[in-house]
């Protein structure tokens, strides 16, 4: 495990929603991670482009995990404690951690090796907002 546990990317169209998400995360100072905000209201990178910025940042910081988080997510009383614990305690065979409760791609973590094997998100994928389906298909094929 590297010194940096995770990079979390939050594509944002609404600063208030994004701030509420971050505030609920409750990142403690002893948690080796960072949060990357991608302001899609002004830069319009799209969701795949924002996620790819997160991958680049994860590699640059030598982090072990990329956490993809929607700005609409609100963590409960204990913040992201369960997610952080799952990342820290996961075996090398665990490539992805998906949040319980039907959140799906609103909160998901991928080990860096996934992107080394599967690659980046396709920023030109059509139709829009199905980039996760494309990546899921390539992920499944890569780990068959």
């Amino acid at each position: 495990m590297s010194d940096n546990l995770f990079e979390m990317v939050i594509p944002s169209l609404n600063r208030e929603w994004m701030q509420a998400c971050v505030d609920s995360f409750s990142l403690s100072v002893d948690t080796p991670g960072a949060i990357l905000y991608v302001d899609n209201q002004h830069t319009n990178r799209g969701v795949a482009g924002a996620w790819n910025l997160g991958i680049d940042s994860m590699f640059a910081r030598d982090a072990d995990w990329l956490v993809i988080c929607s700005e609409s997510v609100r963590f409960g009383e204990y913040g992201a404690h369960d997610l952080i614990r799952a990342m820290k305690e996961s075996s090398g065979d665990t490539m992805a951690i998906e949040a319980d409760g039907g959140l799906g791609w609103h909160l998901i973590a991928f080990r860096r090796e996934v992107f080394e094997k599967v690659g980046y998100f396709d920023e030109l994928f059509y139709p829009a907002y199905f980039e996760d389906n494309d990546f899921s298909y390539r992920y499944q094929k890569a780990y068959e």
Side-chain angles (χ1 to χ4, degrees), residues 38-111:
V38 181
D39 184 353
N40 273 340
Q41 185 173 20
H42 295 98
T43 61
N44 197 19
R45 296 265 328 208
V47 70
W51 293 343
N52 285 340
L53 285 174
I55 295 170
D56 284 339
S57 185
M58 176 198 62
F59 282 130
R61 293 185 57 255
D62 193 32
D64 297 315
W65 292 87
L66 175 70
V67 177
I68 295 173
C69 185
S70 169
E71 67 184 353
S72 62
V73 169
R74 301 297 178 268
F75 293 91
E77 175 182 5
Y78 301 107
H81 173 76
D82 290 341
L83 176 63
I84 291 167
R85 183 174 42 104
M87 288 186 289
K88 285 181 177 178
E89 295 176 358
S90 69
S91 71
D93 295 340
T94 302
M95 293 293 122
I97 299 171
E98 191 171 352
D100 290 336
L103 290 175
W105 277 75
H106 288 277
L107 181 61
I108 190 166
F110 291 102
R111 193 178 292 277

Side-chain angles (χ1 to χ4, degrees), residues 113-132:
E113 289 87 346
V114 168
F115 301 105
E116 292 167 346
K117 189 169 187 170
V118 178
Y120 283 65
F121 293 94
D122 184 350
E123 295 181 35
L124 301 176
F125 191 81
Y126 181 83
Y129 305 107
F130 284 86
E131 300 91 341
D132 55 343

